[in-house]
Amino acid sequence: MYAQMVKSENADDSAEAQAFQARIDAGEKIEPKEWMPAGYRKTLIRQIGQHAHSEIVGQLPEGNWITRAPTLERKAILLAKVQDEAGHGLYLYCAAETLGVTRDELTEMLLDGRMKYSSIFNYPTLTWADMGAVGWLVDGAAIMNQVPLQRTSYGPYSRAMIRICKEESFHQRQGYDIMMKMAKGTEQQKQMAQNALNRFWFPSLMMFGPSDKDSVHSAQSMAWKIKMNTNDELRQKFVDQTVPQAEYLGLTVPDKTLSWNEEKGGYDFAEPDWDEFFQVIKGNGPCNSERLAARNKAWDEGRWVREGLMAHAAKKSTAQRMAAE
Ligand code: BYC
């Protein structure tokens, strides 16, 4: 079904497409069974699907620290956070399914590399302080991107975002709380927090996507209100929000060019290494093969559960049919 939809995608200037655009411009929400251009559907499947995959793959770097959390309380908090990410993935797969693609199709496209997930999850989490940096910076960047997506034009995506954003703010605060503890701890702990900031700063800036001049989808996605801001706008907002938080921690943002620009009312900052970004999204980041191997293993090991559930469902529907005859 997905392949058929992709094939039938074409530039659409029909009366239907114009009426659709007028609804978008008027701020109306588009609901699953309503008419939509093939390109709108395809873009949503790509973005919501990638977003769902990011939530699921995003459990791996933090899951890595559940067994090694320093206290029972930190373990319980991290466990709850990682479980929330699984829930976010499920809301998003459900939102994508309303567009006519199945969760299994999406999963297969992730597992064989046809669909992407966020570049950030291809970096390793080396110390406990990375749990602080991930919550503070990665979830902080995610919120910056997701708060405007609550107003996105596709109803099911917008409603999933409202729920997800509530949970993301707890995630960001738990990360910042770890950073506060570490930064105000021993010299060694403070150094661990600084190292985590050093390693996660630029990868976090990459989460917003390539610079606007290299963003292939932004213009059309913004016209359709699938995206509400450009990649550079959100990256700037993130830097402006995060630099004072780093200062409060007594940590240094690893960017010697960082300076306040009075005229624009925001920071000037160094761009991430875009060659590195494009390598990571092509599959050549530090942890890409490890992450995909973990997801493939989970998919293969869960096959018997899926088959068992399908056999049970088939048995139940046969029994119901026979009872009705
Ligand atoms: N990573 O034209 P562009 C979380 C790709 S999970 C990988 O600007 P677009 C969390 C892009 O797909 C949060 N790929 O694209 C979970 C396109 O390639 P394709 C995840 C990226 O879509 C667990 C190409 O580059 N959030 O927070 O207009 C634990 C050109 O880019 C990335 C979302 O998914 C990237 N960073 O804009 C903790 C938010 N950036 O597809 C935390 C929803 C770009 O043509 N998504 N690419 O092959 C979006 O808002 C948009 O899709 C993006 C990219 C801003 C990410």
Side-chain angles (χ1 to χ4, degrees), residues 34 78 171 184 255 265 317 321 323:
E34 294 172 346
L78 186 60
H171 296 173
K184 310 256 177 282
D255 175 359
S317 83
R321 212 178 40 243

Side-chain angles (χ1 to χ4, degrees), residues 46-48 50-52 54-59 62 81 85 88 114 116-121 134 138-139 141-143 145-146 149 157 161 168 171 206-211 214-218 221 226-227 231 234 277-278 281:
R46 181 184 61 80
Q47 181 167 317
I48 302 174
Q50 286 183 181
H51 195 162
S54 304
E55 301 284 355
I56 298 299
V57 178
Q59 293 177 97
E62 291 177 289
K81 190 224 185 243
E85 308 299 359
H88 297 176
R114 275 177 293 154
K116 296 185 167 73
Y117 56 89
S118 181
S119 49
I120 191 71
F121 303 118
V134 168
V138 175
D139 288 87
I143 296 173
N145 167 283
Q146 288 170 179
L149 287 179
Y157 192 27
M161 280 299 125
E168 291 292 6
H171 296 173
M206 293 175 192
M207 285 177 72
F208 298 96
S211 63
D214 296 319
S215 169
V216 275
H217 302 294
S218 282
S221 289
I226 289 175
K227 267 170 93 160
N231 301 351
L234 292 176
F277 169 78
F278 285 112
I281 67 171

Side-chain angles (χ1 to χ4, degrees), residues 177-250:
D177 189 63
I178 294 175
M179 291 306 269
M180 284 209 287
K181 260 277 184 324
M182 306 281 297
K184 310 256 177 282
T186 63
E187 252 326 293
Q188 204 187 0
Q189 285 169 323
K190 185 169 180 186
Q191 194 53 53
M192 279 169 74
Q194 181 64 55
N195 290 343
L197 170 57
N198 293 350
R199 279 181 289 104
F200 276 93
W201 176 255
F202 285 109
S204 300
L205 298 190
M206 293 175 192
M207 285 177 72
F208 298 96
S211 63
D212 290 350
K213 66 179 172 20
D214 296 319
S215 169
V216 275
H217 302 294
S218 282
Q220 181 60 73
S221 289
M222 287 179 66
W224 276 330
K225 296 190 184 160
I226 289 175
K227 267 170 93 160
M228 307 304 287
N229 301 88
T230 73
N231 301 351
D232 286 338
E233 279 168 9
L234 292 176
R235 195 170 6 255
Q236 179 72 54
K237 279 180 86 169
F238 174 75
V239 171
D240 294 345
Q241 172 186 285
T242 310
V243 170
Q245 294 172 349
E247 282 165 0
Y248 182 79
L249 292 171

Side-chain angles (χ1 to χ4, degrees), residues 26-290:
E28 278 182 44
K29 291 273 180 267
I30 307 301
E31 295 299 337
K33 298 217 165 94
E34 294 172 346
W35 187 88
M36 61 185 78
Y40 178 84
R41 186 186 298 276
K42 182 188 169 194
T43 304
L44 278 173
I45 291 175
R46 181 184 61 80
Q47 181 167 317
I48 302 174
Q50 286 183 181
H51 195 162
H53 297 327
S54 304
E55 301 284 355
I56 298 299
V57 178
Q59 293 177 97
L60 296 169
E62 291 177 289
N64 181 37
W65 281 91
I66 291 171
T67 54
R68 290 175 288 157
T71 66
L72 184 60
E73 196 186 5
R74 290 287 182 201
K75 188 196 283 277
I77 295 170
L78 186 60
L79 196 56
K81 190 224 185 243
V82 172
Q83 282 175 341
D84 281 353
E85 308 299 359
H88 297 176
L90 297 186
Y91 310 151
L92 287 163
Y93 283 128
C94 289
E97 281 187 316
T98 64
L99 292 155
V101 63
T102 68
R103 188 168 146 193
D104 282 4
E105 284 176 298
L106 290 168
T107 304
E108 278 156 17
M109 286 192 275
L110 166 72
L111 298 182
D112 67 16
R114 275 177 293 154
M115 277 185 91
K116 296 185 167 73
Y117 56 89
S118 181
S119 49
I120 191 71
F121 303 118
N122 292 307
Y123 291 86
T125 45
L126 302 177
T127 72
W128 172 253
D130 289 11
M131 294 303 94
V134 168
W136 169 37
L137 301 174
V138 175
D139 288 87
I143 296 173
M144 194 54 84
N145 167 283
Q146 288 170 179
V147 165
L149 287 179
Q150 293 177 109
R151 291 180 286 110
T152 193
S153 60
Y154 188 56
Y157 192 27
S158 152
R159 291 188 285 276
M161 280 299 125
I162 292 170
R163 188 139 178 207
I164 289 174
C165 282
K166 288 194 178 128
E167 292 171 351
E168 291 292 6
S169 52
F170 144 66
H171 296 173
Q172 203 255 359
R173 287 175 67 171
Q174 70 84 38
Y176 196 67
D177 189 63
I178 294 175
M179 291 306 269
M180 284 209 287
K181 260 277 184 324
M182 306 281 297
K184 310 256 177 282
T186 63
E187 252 326 293
Q188 204 187 0
Q189 285 169 323
K190 185 169 180 186
Q191 194 53 53
M192 279 169 74
Q194 181 64 55
N195 290 343
L197 170 57
N198 293 350
R199 279 181 289 104
F200 276 93
W201 176 255
F202 285 109
S204 300
L205 298 190
M206 293 175 192
M207 285 177 72
F208 298 96
S211 63
D212 290 350
K213 66 179 172 20
D214 296 319
S215 169
V216 275
H217 302 294
S218 282
Q220 181 60 73
S221 289
M222 287 179 66
W224 276 330
K225 296 190 184 160
I226 289 175
K227 267 170 93 160
M228 307 304 287
N229 301 88
T230 73
N231 301 351
D232 286 338
E233 279 168 9
L234 292 176
R235 195 170 6 255
Q236 179 72 54
K237 279 180 86 169
F238 174 75
V239 171
D240 294 345
Q241 172 186 285
T242 310
V243 170
Q245 294 172 349
E247 282 165 0
Y248 182 79
L249 292 171
L251 300 179
T252 309
V253 172
D255 175 359
K256 290 203 170 62
T257 69
L258 189 75
S259 63
W260 178 255
N261 181 331
E262 194 61 53
E263 209 175 306
K264 81 170 177 189
Y267 286 91
D268 289 331
F269 59 94
E271 293 276 310
D273 177 346
W274 292 118
D275 290 340
E276 177 182 316
F277 169 78
F278 285 112
Q279 279 303 319
V280 172
I281 67 171
K282 261 193 242 150
N284 303 323
C287 298
N288 294 63
S289 42
E290 191 184 316

